[in-house]
Every structure is written in structure tokens, then in C-alpha cells.
């Protein structure tokens, strides 16, 4: 069972006791990501994530690392389009150290000017690494196209110009505005004493921003998502073409999310999927082909990624188009539906045997839905998906008027008009 509480300053807390293991995962999930940014400060959420490891009033960067290393733990963070998470995984007898470290980073980081300047170089190197990856470039270009003129179009890492323009004043202003108790969830999963954890959280996080600011509801009301046919590319001297087809998906809050996940498994999201079996196994046209949904609070997309030689592009596009026509006309079989349900349930249950995944799952659920779904509820939602749900999702996903195409490679080898003729 889950224990849900709230600290006096407004930070929500969710905990799950798992008595038969020896570890615990602690996460601080912030309702803040690149969606909160604008063109001028793009990348600042990710920049702050880096800076929280650079020193506090109690510890410098080396001491932060040494403290967690000395107990054999893991300390890390990542930034997304809508959230940022800081987490530690340790043996359960070291829970106090994990909470101490995370609270120190969140409440006491000093953002020294010299550290900011040094970290700019580090993050720019990270950016250049992504710019050298045609796969990442193709996915990023597709996101920019599909979410054009909304806050979701912003890259998580930012641009070279925006990263160079970040300074201490911008960081402090953004941090103060977004790292508010109302925007935070502390999630803990593992072999814990719930009473002890609540006491520790009150001691370490209770004083944080006890006088909360009026929260700006960010950009949700300003975003209008309109998916229309677009094709774009980045000319790059590569042997392969890395191509993405973007389709309208579902928001994470949709009651049809489980149907989307089931359909994704069948269409292109696994090695037994229709696309993988046809494009790679039967026709031998590509090494990499997969589909994956990206779902946010208000919208979502389904991305089909394809990496292959330019000479195989049109054959592959035609084969993909045939599968789309087939699934729209004939839906899926009852056998496919049941197999995909078992696959999805198996993936979910196996994932929940990891304390990090359990911590993250219950924390995100509380942040987004302000409640936690039990594992039994999740499995029941999967089991309840029927053919009508699948049909409804198919009609949303495979609407050709909303397809977008992005690719990276040698553009002279690609017949854009023919691709558009087939897919649009």
C-alpha cells in the first residue's frame, strides 16, 4: 500500500514500503522542464539540473559525489519536457544520507558564477554530442515540427545561443519561480520505516520555501496543438538516412493510454511487431525500426523511427504505408490484442521489481493525477481494453492529414515528393 502525505510547506509525499528488499530509492520530482521555457532561456531547466550537483552551502561538488560513493549509492538526475527529477538509490540503512544529500542540493545550492561558466562548456559539449548523432537530430527535428509554436517545441538541452546566454540572474529567477513546494513531489520506494521517513522529510525539506509564491500556471493555457502535414530535413554527410514519421498521439491523462500502448506493441514497438517483422525480418530493408509514444499532459505523438540506406527508403515507406492501410481497414486480431496485453502487463510488472521504477511511477502519478494507481488498477486497465478502444486509437493515430516527416542524411538521395505522395 501507498502512504500519501503533505509537508506543511505544500510538498506532496508518496511512499511505498517493500519489506523484502535491501534498497530504497528517493526521488524529488519537479513539475518543471523545457515546456516552462522560452526562446531566450531555452535549456535552463537542464542547466539547473547540472548546477545542483556543483555545490551547496554545506558541500562542494566533490563532497557531494564522495558522500554518495562512500555508501555505494547512486545519485543522478534527468530533465524532460515537463519534469525534472533528482534521485538517489541506496541501501535502506542509508536513507538519512540520501534524504540529506537531496535536500542539500535542492535547498542549499549556491550557483557560483565560476561554476556556471564552467558548466556552460560542459553542456555545450553535451549539445555537440547530440548534434553529431543523426538519430537524435531526426527525433528532435520531428518534435520541433509537430509542436511548432508551442512550448513543447523547445529542446531540452537548449541551443548554443541560449546556453551561452544563461547567467546567474536568470538561473536564480527561474529556480525561484519553478522550484516551489506546490510543484514538487517527494517519492520513496523500498525497505523503509514510513514514520521515520516522514520525520526526516519534515526536518530536511520542511523549511524549504515555506512562504510560497503565487504560482504561475506556466504555458498550458497558451498552447494550441495543431498537427498538419509537414516534411523537413537536415542535410548531413551520413551513410544512412535516419527518418521519423510523426503521428498524433494521446495525452498522458487520456483514458485510452493503455489502448495506445497495446497498439504500439502490435504496430512497431517490439521485435514481434508488424513493422519489425516486415521491414527487417521479411524484407531485410532496415536494421533499426521502431515506434514509440511520447505523451504529455495536454497532447502526445507517436513516432516511427527508421534507420536505413537511402536506396531502401521508398521500398520501406511503401511497406509502412501498406501496414497502415491494413491496420486501418482490418484493425487487429483478437489474438494480437490478447498477446499484446500480456506483453504490456509483463513489461510493467517486471519493471516494478526495480525500486527506482516504483519510486518514479508513484511519484509521477501523484504529480500528474494527484493520486496513485495501484499495480492491480494498472493491470485491470490493461485487461479492460477492447476492440472498440483499439479502433478509436487507430482512427486518431493514423490520420494522414496530421503526419509529419523528418529525416537526417544526404538530401540529394531522397525523393521528397514521392514520400509525400505515399504517406500524405
Amino acid at each position: 500500500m501507498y502512504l500519501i502525505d503533505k509537508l506543511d510547506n505544500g510538498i506532496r509525499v508518496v511512499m511505498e514500503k517493500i519489506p523484502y528488499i535491501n534498497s530504497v530509492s528517493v526521488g524529488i520530482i519537479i513539475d518543471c522542464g523545457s515546456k516552462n521555457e522560452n526562446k531566450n532561456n531555452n535549456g535552463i531547466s537542464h542547466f539547473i539540473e547540472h548546477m545542483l550537483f556543483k555545490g551547496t552551502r554545506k558541500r562542494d561538488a566533490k563532497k557531494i559525489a564522495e558522500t554518495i560513493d562512500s555508501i555505494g549509492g547512486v545519485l543522478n538526475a534527468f530533465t524532460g519536457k515537463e519534469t525534472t527529477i533528482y534521485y538517489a538509490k541506496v541501501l535502506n540503512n542509508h536513507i538519512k544520507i540520501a534524504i540529506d544529500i537531496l535536500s542539500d542540493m535542492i535547498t542549499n545550492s549556491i550557483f557560483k558564477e565560476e561554476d556556471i561558466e564552467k558548466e556552460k562548456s560542459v553542456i555545450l559539449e553535451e549539445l555537440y554530442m547530440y548534434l553529431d548523432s543523426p538519430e537524435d537530430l531526426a527525433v528532435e527535428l520531428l518534435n520541433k515540427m509537430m509542436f511548432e509554436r508551442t512550448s513543447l517545441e523547445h529542446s531540452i538541452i537548449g541551443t548554443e545561443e541560449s546556453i551561452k546566454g544563461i547567467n546567474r540572474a536568470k538561473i536564480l529567477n527561474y529556480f525561484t519561480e519553478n522550484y516551489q513546494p506546490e510543484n514538487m513531489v517527494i517519492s520513496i520506494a523500498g525497505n523503509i520505516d514510513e514514520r521515520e521517513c516522514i520525520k526526516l522529510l519534515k526536518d530536511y525539506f520542511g523549511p524549504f520555501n515555506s512562504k510560497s509564491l503565487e504560482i504561475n500556471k506556466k504555458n498550458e493555457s497558451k498552447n494550441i496543438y495543431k498537427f498538419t502535414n509537414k516534411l523537413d530535413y537536415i542535410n548531413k554527410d551520413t551513410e544512412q538516412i535516419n527518418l521519423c514519421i510523426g503521428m498524433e498521439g494521446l495525452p498522458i491523462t487520456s483514458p485510452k493510454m493503455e489502448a495506445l500502448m497495446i497498439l504500439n506493441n502490435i504496430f512497431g514497438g517490439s521485435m514481434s511487431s508488424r513493422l519489425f517483422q516486415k521491414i527487417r525480418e521479411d524484407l531485410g530493408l532496415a536494421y533499426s525500426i521502431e515506434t514509440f509514444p511520447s505523451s504529455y499532459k495536454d497532447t502526445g505523438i507517436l513516432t516511427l523511427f527508421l534507420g536505413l540506406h537511402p536506396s531502401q527508403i521508398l521500398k520501406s515507406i511503401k511497406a509502412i504505408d501498406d501496414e497502415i492501410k491494413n491496420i486501418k481497414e482490418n484493425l487487429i486480431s483478437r489474438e494480437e490484442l490478447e498477446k499484446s496485453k500480456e506483453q504490456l502487463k509483463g513489461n510493467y510488472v517486471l519493471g516494478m521489481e526495480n525500486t527506482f521504477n516504483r519510486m518514479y511511477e508513484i511519484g509521477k502519478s501523484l504529480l500528474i493525477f494527484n493520486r496513485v494507481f495501484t499495480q492491480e488498477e494498472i493491470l485491470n486497465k490493461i485487461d479492460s481494453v477492447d476492440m472498440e478502444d483499439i479502433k478509436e486509437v487507430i482512427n486518431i493515430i493514423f490520420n494522414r492529414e496530421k503526419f509529419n516527416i523528418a529525416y537526417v542524411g544526404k538530401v540529394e538521395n531522397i525523393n521528397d515528393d514521392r514520400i509525400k505522395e505515399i504517406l500524405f
Side-chain angles (χ1 to χ4, degrees):
M1 289 298 295
Y2 309 112
L3 186 151
I4 298 175
D5 207 336
K6 182 183 282 190
L7 303 184
D8 290 342
N9 59 2
I11 297 177
R12 286 169 287 171
V13 176
V14 58
M15 293 185 283
E16 181 182 11
K17 181 179 176 65
I18 312 170
Y20 51 84
I21 59 176
N22 298 312
S23 66
V24 59
S25 291
V26 183
I28 318 300
I29 307 174
I30 318 291
D31 187 13
C32 174
S34 58
K35 185 179 177 182
N36 301 82
E37 301 167 0
N38 55 51
K39 183 178 179 181
N40 293 326
N41 67 7
N42 184 204
I44 197 167
S45 302
H46 174 256
F47 204 113
I48 287 173
E49 176 220 307
H50 276 235
M51 289 306 303
L52 263 60
F53 288 82
K54 297 307 167 188
T56 71
R57 297 184 186 95
K58 293 167 56 177
R59 300 175 174 93
D60 60 17
K62 184 180 180 183
K63 188 64 175 176
I64 291 173
E66 285 179 344
T67 302
I68 206 74
D69 286 347
S70 67
I71 58 172
V74 174
L75 181 68
N76 212 334
F78 58 87
T79 306
K81 284 190 176 291
E82 293 189 317
T83 58
T84 305
I85 177 170
Y86 304 86
Y87 65 93
K89 184 174 183 178
V90 297
L91 294 177
N92 60 298
N93 60 311
H94 294 309
I95 179 86
K96 182 176 180 179
I97 296 175
I99 291 174
D100 179 19
I101 284 283
L102 288 168
S103 69
D104 194 26
M105 292 166 58
I106 295 288
T107 65
N108 292 318
S109 284
I110 52 180
F111 305 111
K112 289 168 62 175
E113 291 275 13
E114 59 190 271
D115 290 335
I116 292 170
E117 291 307 310
K118 280 191 290 187
E119 205 58 26
K120 281 184 186 180
S121 297
V122 173
I123 293 174
L124 284 170
E125 289 301 323
E126 187 179 357
L127 173 64
Y128 300 148
M129 178 181 71
Y130 286 120
L131 293 177
D132 278 343
S133 168
E135 298 97 330
D136 291 328
L137 280 178
V139 172
E140 189 64 47
L141 177 59
L142 181 74
N143 275 271
K144 191 171 183 62
M145 292 165 60
M146 295 201 76
F147 295 126
E148 187 179 18
R149 295 189 179 91
T150 76
S151 55
L152 281 176
E153 76 172 336
H154 300 311
S155 161
I156 292 169
I157 195 169
T159 65
E160 185 171 357
E161 181 182 4
S162 66
I163 293 167
K164 289 180 178 178
I166 291 173
N167 56 41
R168 190 170 189 270
K170 285 184 179 180
I171 286 174
L172 290 176
N173 181 65
Y174 189 86
F175 182 87
T176 302
E177 180 180 343
N178 291 283
Y179 280 59
Q180 288 289 315
E182 292 88 344
N183 291 339
M184 298 168 65
V185 165
I186 301 175
S187 181
I188 304 177
N191 193 345
I192 57 172
D193 181 320
E194 292 104 321
R195 289 185 179 180
E196 178 192 359
C197 285
I198 285 292
K199 184 179 184 306
L200 288 170
L201 294 178
K202 287 180 177 178
D203 289 344
Y204 283 99
F205 284 93
F208 178 65
N209 278 10
S210 54
K211 294 182 180 178
S212 178
L213 299 177
E214 181 68 26
I215 300 301
N216 175 15
K217 289 300 181 184
K218 309 178 183 82
N219 300 305
E220 284 88 345
S221 61
K222 298 178 184 177
N223 287 329
I224 300 174
Y225 302 101
K226 291 183 178 179
F227 302 119
T228 58
N229 287 150
K230 292 188 287 291
L231 183 148
D232 202 358
Y233 58 82
I234 295 174
N235 190 19
K236 197 171 182 67
D237 188 13
T238 58
E239 292 299 318
Q240 279 196 322
I241 293 294
N242 288 270
L243 182 143
C244 290
I245 301 171
M247 297 160 260
E248 182 178 11
L250 298 175
I252 199 167
T253 52
S254 169
K256 304 297 181 184
M257 268 303 298
E258 286 73 25
L260 171 60
M261 300 300 292
I262 288 169
L263 178 63
N264 178 63
N265 281 343
I266 295 167
F267 182 57
S270 67
M271 291 179 65
S272 62
S273 67
R274 293 186 179 189
L275 287 183
F276 190 95
Q277 287 298 310
K278 183 167 188 176
I279 302 296
R280 176 167 164 165
E281 301 299 323
D282 294 347
L283 301 176
L285 296 175
Y287 175 75
S288 298
I289 181 163
E290 63 173 324
T291 61
F292 53 92
S294 302
S295 294
Y296 307 102
K297 290 179 184 176
D298 303 320
T299 188
I301 61 174
L302 182 74
T303 300
L304 190 162
F305 174 83
L306 189 63
L308 74 178
H309 192 271
S311 63
Q312 308 284 37
I313 286 286
L314 289 180
K315 292 179 186 175
S316 297
I317 293 292
K318 185 65 174 66
I320 291 168
D321 180 62
D322 288 343
E323 283 302 319
I324 291 174
K325 288 177 180 175
N326 182 26
I327 208 166
K328 286 187 71 175
E329 291 173 7
N330 304 309
L331 305 182
I332 62 174
S333 69
R334 176 66 58 182
E335 181 183 14
E336 283 179 310
L337 176 61
E338 295 306 319
K339 281 184 176 179
S340 187
K341 284 183 181 181
E342 290 304 310
Q343 180 184 1
L344 190 57
K345 288 191 293 184
N347 290 341
Y348 171 73
V349 172
L350 289 175
M352 289 302 100
E353 297 202 354
N354 178 298
T355 58
F356 169 81
N357 290 341
R358 283 170 91 149
M359 173 276 293
Y360 190 45
E361 183 78 13
I362 63 177
K364 276 202 313 178
S365 181
L366 187 62
L367 186 72
I368 295 168
F369 299 100
N370 205 30
R371 63 156 295 186
V372 175
F373 296 96
T374 66
Q375 291 190 37
E376 184 179 8
E377 286 177 304
I378 297 294
L379 295 175
N380 287 339
K381 286 165 74 172
I382 295 170
D383 276 329
S384 68
V385 173
D386 58 25
M387 281 296 187
E388 282 303 311
D389 297 320
I390 297 294
K391 183 178 180 180
E392 186 175 333
V393 173
I394 284 173
N395 289 335
I396 294 170
I397 299 298
F398 300 117
N399 181 349
R400 292 178 184 275
E401 294 179 358
K402 298 183 178 183
F403 284 7
N404 280 228
I405 301 165
Y407 67 86
V408 175
K410 296 176 182 176
V411 300
E412 65 268 18
N413 297 318
I414 307 300
N415 186 337
D416 288 351
D417 290 337
R418 183 64 183 129
I419 292 174
K420 288 191 281 188
E421 183 183 334
I422 296 170
L423 288 177
F424 293 171

